[in-house]
Amino acid sequence: MAAQSLTRRGILGGTAAGLAAAPLIGRTAPSAQESPSPAPGPVRTPEMQDIVLQVNGRRIQLTVEPRTSLLDALREQAGLTGTKKGCDRGSCGACTVHIDGRRVVSCLTLAVRCQGRAVTTIEGLAVGEELHPVQAAILHHDAFQCGYCTPGQIMSAAALIEEGHAGSPDEIREWMSGNICRCGAYPNIVAAIQDASVQG
Amino acid sequence: MQSFTISRPGTLDAATAATAAPDTAFIAGGTDLLQLMKQEVARPTRLVDLDGLLPDAVEVLPDGVRIGALALMANVAAHPEVQRNYRAVSEALLSAASPQIRNMGTIGGNLLQRTRCNYFRDPGFAACNKREPGSGCAAIRGENRLLGVLGTSRACIATHPSDLPVALAALDASLELRGPNGARRTVALADFYRLPGDTPHIETALQPGEVIVAVLVPASAGARRSCYVKLRDRASFEFALVSCAAAVDLQRATIREARLALGGVAPKPWRLPQVEAALQGRPADAGTFADAAMHASEGAQPASQNGFKVKLIQRAVLRALETTAAA
């Protein structure tokens, strides 16, 4: 049904997925031809460079300015908006992704320096329809309120478990210190990570 | 962030030659540089990528360790030899930044991190002698709770923010540098950082085009019994209000030699010779530690809001001494 494809981004962006829910507010759904075209890429300047990234197992080719962060390249060019921009200064962790299996903040990573690297974002964590244990545990423990920091929390937690730092609630708190939650959902986040570490 | 070009020279010689052009900066981990560029504190028009041009490993030598400048903070902190015999180095690194940043930041870059003084970091404030030589210091009469009490000047009261160099200072580390013509020299960490005086924009002994190649940390009994204590406003992912690295060589219960350095309170890692003298040859007990710690803030000149650091310095030193004695 329509709700299946109803996404927040779809509504905000006015894409076909969002408009598919239009009957709910008494409008007719658009035809396929009315689907908006992808966002145009940035205007090409001499400094721009072509790069190839392996994002979530897929080869992605992008043309970026040297100053483009990996975060902006993912969100604005690759259309992967699950990675969030919080502070854009490395202080909040909302933009956490994995590069070659290690967690980093994508806001302080230049996309041009990621040539050929394997990037995993929140969109690539689940295996098909099966959620990553951290994703499932975050849902089960209701470990968020507004949800804005959640993708970064999940990416950080997945790496933390791989690193072997989920030994105790104190250890989890210390090794999650790079991810700030303004809603203060920390107790449930820590519980979810503990839970996921046992299951994983 | 203003636009820039980035080059990836194939050799270190080509990289250092490239920095002869104006407004050029090296980039390694980029975690500090990109923050400074986003805030337009740093405005290079050319970046030279050091990736792959400098060592990134921890080499275990008969008399110490050689840590490559491009080694990641996380990797050095987790290195078994560093954890075992250079504990203060591992602890300082693990207390720094966040797990994500430690996966990105390099050892060389961490030594060159710029101050976290908010007046330096915000070009909206015109007065900052470090950012704009001769413009004044907004911090001296401003919000200075986090700033320095030792080694400061009338031109600048900023502190060096990094944890690692504090541990390295206590362990008598030195730095291997390489200049544009390939000339190598070794500088003691103690001589690497400059006091601000009238020229707070000159922070280190690095010459134009010169790079840090590696950090040499000599093995010692003190290094094996060392620790890093960090006191801050929140439990983690925060810069030090006061920190203390201590390396104590004990023979039975007598202190043969102690070396201590402070962080968060001075423009450079601040060695404590007067505390070290008060410990040498004395029994490692609570009385000795308390007496010695009293000397730790000698010469402190607090600003209007950071007088609390004078007492906190003594307590950090005491905690560090107690920790090493119990190890």
Side-chain angles (χ1 to χ4, degrees):
Chain A
M1 65 175 270
Q4 206 73 59
S5 59
L6 177 63
T7 66
R8 176 177 161 278
R9 169 116 341 238
I11 291 170
L12 293 176
T15 64
L19 291 174
L24 295 174
I25 50 170
R27 290 177 51 188
T28 52
S31 68
Q33 285 82 355
E34 287 174 281
S35 298
S37 53
V43 179
R44 177 118 202 169
T45 63
E47 300 81 36
M48 284 194 160
Q49 299 182 16
D50 296 316
I51 56 167
V52 174
L53 310 178
Q54 294 292 329
V55 182
N56 302 328
R58 274 187 26 237
R59 184 177 181 278
I60 292 188
Q61 189 167 345
L62 299 172
T63 302
V64 293
E65 282 191 76
R67 65 178 167 178
T68 303
S69 66
L70 177 61
L71 171 63
D72 285 345
L74 289 170
R75 288 180 56 85
E76 292 172 23
Q77 291 190 52
L80 295 168
T81 52
T83 305
K84 301 303 182 201
K85 183 184 275 193
C87 68
D88 205 28
R89 300 282 190 279
S91 300
C92 77
C95 67
T96 301
V97 300
H98 301 173
I99 297 182
D100 295 337
R102 295 175 68 139
R103 51 175 158 159
V104 300
V105 285
S106 56
C107 70
L108 295 182
T109 303
L110 293 177
V112 290
R113 298 183 82 206
C114 296
Q115 169 64 32
R117 314 280 295 273
V119 179
T120 307
T121 70
I122 188 70
E123 290 90 346
L125 210 54
V127 180
E129 291 298 303
E130 190 186 337
L131 293 178
H132 185 281
V134 174
Q135 291 175 305
I138 290 273
L139 279 174
H140 178 71
H141 287 269
D142 194 19
F144 53 87
Q145 288 182 46
C146 83
Y148 196 80
C149 73
T150 308
Q153 301 277 358
I154 290 171
M155 294 309 289
S156 205
L160 175 154
I161 292 169
E162 286 293 315
E163 296 159 9
H165 289 129
S168 69
D170 276 350
E171 189 182 15
I172 291 169
R173 275 188 281 270
E174 170 60 31
W175 288 86
M176 285 298 289
S177 65
N179 294 80
I180 308 299
C181 169
R182 199 184 161 186
C183 302
Y186 298 112
N188 292 12
I189 293 171
V190 172
I193 296 171
Q194 258 195 306
D195 202 0
S197 74
V198 176
Q199 292 172 21
Chain B
M1 186 170 15
Q2 74 171 20
S3 192
F4 57 86
T5 60
I6 186 164
S7 63
R8 289 174 205 81
T11 66
L12 192 52
D13 278 335
T16 52
T19 59
D23 303 319
T24 303
F26 287 124
I27 183 165
T31 54
D32 192 33
L33 181 63
L34 290 177
Q35 286 183 62
L36 293 167
M37 289 170 67
K38 287 181 185 212
Q39 290 170 266
E40 306 218 328
V41 175
R43 299 164 59 87
T45 54
R46 298 174 192 82
L47 293 187
V48 178
D49 195 336
L50 287 172
D51 198 16
L53 300 180
L54 292 167
D56 63 0
V58 177
E59 277 179 75
V60 181
L61 310 172
D63 55 353
V65 283
R66 179 174 184 263
I67 305 171
L70 291 188
L72 296 177
M73 296 167 73
N75 291 358
V76 177
H79 193 280
E81 174 68 10
V82 175
Q83 289 194 328
R84 194 178 314 119
N85 291 327
Y86 307 87
R87 208 176 171 79
V89 171
S90 178
E91 290 180 357
L93 284 168
L94 287 177
S95 77
S98 68
Q100 290 97 314
I101 301 286
R102 296 196 295 268
N103 275 341
M104 306 167 71
T106 64
I107 295 301
N110 187 254
L111 296 180
L112 297 174
Q113 182 177 205
R114 308 296 302 278
T115 183
R116 304 306 297 194
C117 174
N118 285 326
Y119 297 102
F120 170 76
R121 295 258 164 183
D122 185 351
F125 291 98
C128 174
N129 286 322
K130 195 182 270 300
R131 181 161 36 76
E132 291 292 337
S135 63
C137 173
I140 288 174
R141 290 179 204 285
E143 295 294 323
N144 51 42
R145 180 177 169 272
L146 304 174
L147 300 178
V149 299
L150 288 162
T152 54
S153 74
R154 293 199 313 193
C156 183
I157 60 170
T159 58
H160 195 278
S162 295
D163 298 289
L164 171 67
V166 181
L168 295 177
L171 301 189
D172 283 331
S174 55
L175 305 180
E176 227 179 275
L177 311 179
R178 187 182 187 280
N181 50 4
R184 286 178 182 261
R185 61 182 179 131
T186 302
V187 175
L189 188 102
D191 301 326
F192 181 70
Y193 294 105
R194 299 281 170 87
L195 288 179
D198 295 329
T199 54
H201 59 290
I202 303 172
E203 298 177 348
T204 71
L206 276 182
Q207 297 299 306
E210 201 169 35
V211 289
I212 301 173
V213 174
V215 178
L216 298 161
V217 194
S220 68
R224 282 192 291 281
R225 188 185 285 274
S226 65
C227 77
Y228 187 72
V229 167
K230 184 173 179 180
L231 308 175
R232 41 191 159 172
D233 278 335
R234 62 181 183 186
S236 188
F237 197 12
E238 186 57 276
F239 291 95
L241 292 169
V242 176
S243 68
C244 178
V248 179
D249 179 4
L250 287 180
Q251 188 169 47
R252 296 198 190 86
T254 300
I255 302 164
R256 280 162 60 123
E257 189 195 25
R259 288 170 287 158
L260 293 98
L262 298 173
V265 293
K268 59 186 263 182
W270 197 255
R271 273 290 286 263
L272 295 170
Q274 68 284 23
V275 175
E276 296 169 12
L279 292 164
Q280 190 166 358
R282 302 278 309 275
D285 60 26
T288 300
F289 294 162
D291 288 346
M294 292 301 288
H295 295 288
S297 42
E298 279 173 11
Q301 291 186 303
S304 56
Q305 298 174 343
N306 63 5
F308 73 97
K309 289 195 177 187
V310 174
K311 232 354 180 226
L312 202 58
I313 285 170
Q314 297 170 2
R315 290 171 180 169
V317 167
L318 189 56
R319 172 79 63 85
L321 289 171
E322 289 170 351
T323 305
T324 54

